[in-house]
Amino acid sequence: MISTTNKDMLEWLDTHIEKSYGNFIDGEWKETFSGSTFPLYNAANKHQVLGYFQNSTEVDVDQAVEAAHHAFKSWSKVPGPERGAIIFRFADLLEQNAEELSYMLSAEQGKALAESKGEVLRAAKEARFCAGEASRIEGDTLPGERANVTSSTMRQPIGVVAAIAPWNFPVVTPVRKIAPALAYGCTVVYKPASATPWTSVKLMQLLEKSGVPKGVVNFISGSGSKVGTPLINHPLVKGISFTGSTDLGIQINERAARRLVKTQLELGGKNPAVVLDFDNAEDIAKQIVPAAFACSGQRCTSLSRVIVVKDKKQELTEALLKELQNIKVGPSWQSDISMGPLINQQHLESVQEYLSAGIREGAKLLYGGEVLNTGQFADGAYMQPALLDSVTPQMRVAGEEIFGPVLCVMEAEDQEDALDIANSVSYGLAASVFTSQFSAAHQFVQESEVGMVHVNHGTASAAHMPFGGWKHSGFGAYSIGKSNIDFFTDLKAVYYQY
């Protein structure tokens, strides 16, 4: 029996699907010059077309960048508090439209409806923080070397920013890029992932309703080769904020470096949960499992490795198994599910290949991993969350980003060995450490090679804290917090003689 909430979502979808959507350029909805569109399907129902979106080309990119460049001349001169007021209104509109955005998000991406609503509300929080930052674009006044000279520094917006977002968080990630750009006086050309462009249409509508002037934010849908590449290569683009795979991030950085253009890159992760000691294994498992399997494990900050000292391994593994059994897989419109489908069949096959590779290399599958493809699961890319044991640092599953619902358990001899294993990968995004010993926690915080450390809890970030990684997990200024100022503005030194 379908609950009232679930029925609301399904009824809403019945009356809102199969529409065509244009690009949003210079305040107008426009069809691409190519005249071509592509369909978007429900992640949990591959037969249901959610909408049709523009298969844009370089011509559309150029038009959008020109519009943003023209709008920058006036937007950059709008006082910061006024820009902030617009972003505050946008945050309010996100909350007021949270239900509709959640329906759209769950349909195109597949995550549980409760997760989707949480994402929308998180986006509103981040937008509000950025709105406040518009009034805090600070410079410094420094003592002069000469009696009649004053010295100061100031911040100025860099210009047109290319914002390129992934498919796993199609609401919060674009807001994470667009809101700070607006706060600091930049303009934006935004490209969503082709797998999740639907919620982006709603975001553009809410930005327009909040009072963002024409051309300040522009939206183009299409492929990476026909939209993304000409966008990052465009001579009027002065900064590129990208969230996605490390390989693609490196390619973008190489192209940007040839033009000496700023980049802000949020890339992959292979995040460890290092467990040194505990009083209650179930408490630790309740922190690790949600952090590993939220968004079906398709999250750059997902915990993917549990590194536990050997005398605690069996007890913790049993607690993880118990907690995993509470995960219920199903379509997003079912209120009692805790994990939806993966984004598509191709990605499911990739995750399954990693799982098979781990078993071939000697890992033991303790739980889950099977593909679900009958009954209600027939129309989506579903699998049971998997727990692998006996994983060693040499295995592919221990070093490569799987980006799916697979958690690996690894044994460490002691604290030093656990730290070495945690740091042994090329990624350095986030890590959790679980211990009651202050000295052990402090050592891990100091010596872990990651951008974000969580002590005694899962990898949950805050809406006002800088977000970013080390090594192959990130490059450039951290996002979310006040560190955004280092990407969206340039520093200028000023000397006044009087």
Side-chain angles (χ1 to χ4, degrees):
M1 181 176 179
I2 298 175
S3 69
T4 303
T5 301
N6 296 336
K7 185 178 179 181
D8 286 345
M9 176 179 173
L10 294 174
E11 288 181 348
W12 185 91
L13 285 175
D14 284 342
T15 57
H16 287 81
I17 60 173
E18 298 186 355
K19 298 179 181 179
S20 294
Y21 301 95
N23 293 324
F24 188 64
I25 300 175
D26 205 17
E28 297 180 8
W29 293 98
K30 300 180 179 180
E31 294 183 359
T32 176
F33 283 87
S34 72
S36 173
T37 62
F38 64 91
L40 175 70
Y41 294 93
N42 191 323
N45 182 358
K46 61 186 178 183
H47 304 294
Q48 185 181 63
V49 176
L50 299 176
Y52 298 89
F53 298 83
Q54 303 302 305
N55 228 338
S56 305
T57 67
E58 187 172 352
V59 177
D60 303 292
V61 172
D62 187 65
Q63 188 180 62
V65 175
E66 289 285 353
H69 177 66
H70 178 75
F72 175 72
K73 298 173 184 178
S74 56
W75 178 249
S76 60
K77 294 180 174 63
V78 174
E82 291 185 25
R83 298 196 301 263
I86 291 173
I87 303 169
F88 275 125
R89 287 197 291 272
F90 174 59
D92 291 341
L93 288 171
L94 285 172
E95 290 179 338
Q96 292 166 19
N97 290 268
E99 185 173 65
E100 182 174 336
L101 272 167
S102 299
Y103 294 161
M104 299 170 77
L105 199 167
S106 285
E108 67 176 345
Q109 201 278 338
K111 65 181 63 174
L113 192 55
E115 274 195 73
S116 293
K117 189 167 185 179
E119 179 178 337
V120 177
L121 297 180
R122 169 60 182 262
K125 284 185 178 181
E126 292 193 16
R128 283 203 179 89
F129 178 85
C130 293
E133 289 295 275
S135 296
R136 292 187 290 269
I137 307 174
E138 298 176 346
D140 296 313
T141 300
L142 304 172
E145 291 183 340
R146 290 164 287 170
N148 62 336
V149 174
T150 62
S151 307
S152 63
T153 64
M154 62 185 295
R155 292 279 183 173
Q156 292 186 305
I158 61 174
V160 179
V161 171
I164 304 174
W167 48 258
N168 57 339
F169 287 92
V171 171
V172 76
T173 306
V175 170
R176 186 172 293 176
K177 300 177 185 302
I178 294 170
L182 300 186
Y184 291 116
C186 299
T187 54
V188 178
V189 178
Y190 162 57
K191 179 201 174 306
S194 295
T196 53
W198 200 21
T199 45
S200 295
V201 171
K202 187 66 176 180
L203 292 179
M204 295 303 110
Q205 294 169 347
L206 297 183
L207 284 164
E208 183 180 30
K209 189 175 181 180
S210 68
V212 175
K214 292 182 178 181
V216 172
V217 179
N218 305 271
F219 154 82
I220 312 178
S221 60
S223 70
S225 60
K226 293 183 179 180
V227 175
T229 299
L231 180 57
I232 63 176
N233 289 336
H234 200 289
L236 293 179
V237 169
K238 303 302 180 183
I240 302 163
S241 182
F242 167 81
T243 301
S245 72
T246 295
D247 288 345
L248 188 52
I250 290 172
Q251 294 176 33
I252 289 173
N253 209 45
E254 289 173 345
R255 292 175 182 270
R258 288 197 287 268
R259 295 199 295 117
L260 296 180
V261 165
K262 282 186 173 182
T263 56
Q264 181 186 54
L265 308 177
E266 295 179 11
L267 308 176
K270 193 65 182 176
N271 312 297
V274 174
V275 182
L276 302 177
D277 61 82
F278 51 77
D279 295 324
N280 188 324
E282 291 186 1
D283 289 344
I284 307 299
K286 289 181 186 298
Q287 289 286 335
I288 291 175
V289 169
F293 297 103
C295 196
S296 302
Q298 302 168 130
R299 194 169 66 110
C300 61
T301 53
S302 290
L303 289 175
S304 59
R305 297 178 294 155
V306 177
I307 304 167
V308 54
V309 292
K310 60 182 180 180
D311 62 328
K312 295 289 188 180
K313 180 175 177 291
Q314 181 176 349
E315 186 179 357
L316 180 63
T317 302
E318 291 173 357
L320 291 171
L321 282 168
K322 180 180 178 181
E323 193 65 26
L324 269 167
Q325 292 168 12
N326 293 326
I327 295 177
K328 182 174 180 180
V329 180
S332 56
W333 54 79
Q334 289 189 357
S335 60
D336 58 345
I337 71 143
S338 47
M339 196 178 98
L342 276 69
I343 185 66
N344 55 41
Q345 185 66 31
Q346 181 180 4
H347 188 57
L348 173 63
E349 291 171 2
S350 172
V351 174
Q352 286 291 309
E353 170 53 33
Y354 270 112
L355 199 57
S356 297
I359 295 170
R360 287 196 302 269
E361 292 175 0
K364 297 178 181 178
L365 181 62
L366 297 185
Y367 181 85
E370 62 265 33
V371 173
L372 305 174
N373 53 19
T374 60
Q376 67 174 349
F377 303 116
D379 293 328
Y382 294 95
M383 66 173 281
Q384 284 284 8
L387 185 67
L388 286 174
D389 192 13
S390 303
V391 175
T392 63
Q394 295 75 32
M395 295 179 182
R396 285 182 62 200
V397 291
E400 298 180 19
E401 185 178 37
I402 300 173
F403 216 65
V406 179
L407 183 61
C408 301
V409 178
M410 309 175 71
E411 181 178 292
E413 288 295 321
D414 51 28
Q415 178 181 331
E416 293 299 326
D417 188 37
L419 179 63
D420 289 342
I421 295 172
N423 287 339
S424 66
V425 299
S426 61
Y427 297 102
L429 185 57
S432 293
V433 60
F434 295 90
T435 177
S436 59
Q437 304 300 313
F438 175 81
S439 60
H442 181 70
Q443 181 183 359
F444 187 84
V445 168
Q446 292 294 111
E447 298 183 18
S448 56
E449 297 171 355
V450 296
M452 299 175 287
V453 186
H454 305 261
V455 179
N456 291 325
H457 69 88
T459 48
S461 59
H464 67 294
M465 281 286 285
F467 183 102
W470 293 8
K471 301 195 287 190
H472 279 193
S473 287
F475 185 82
Y478 281 20
S479 66
I480 300 183
K482 67 177 184 179
S483 52
N484 262 319
I485 197 170
D486 293 324
F487 172 72
F488 290 99
T489 70
D490 284 327
L491 184 67
K492 180 178 286 185
V494 183
Y495 299 87
Y496 285 103
Q497 181 171 313
Y498 53 90

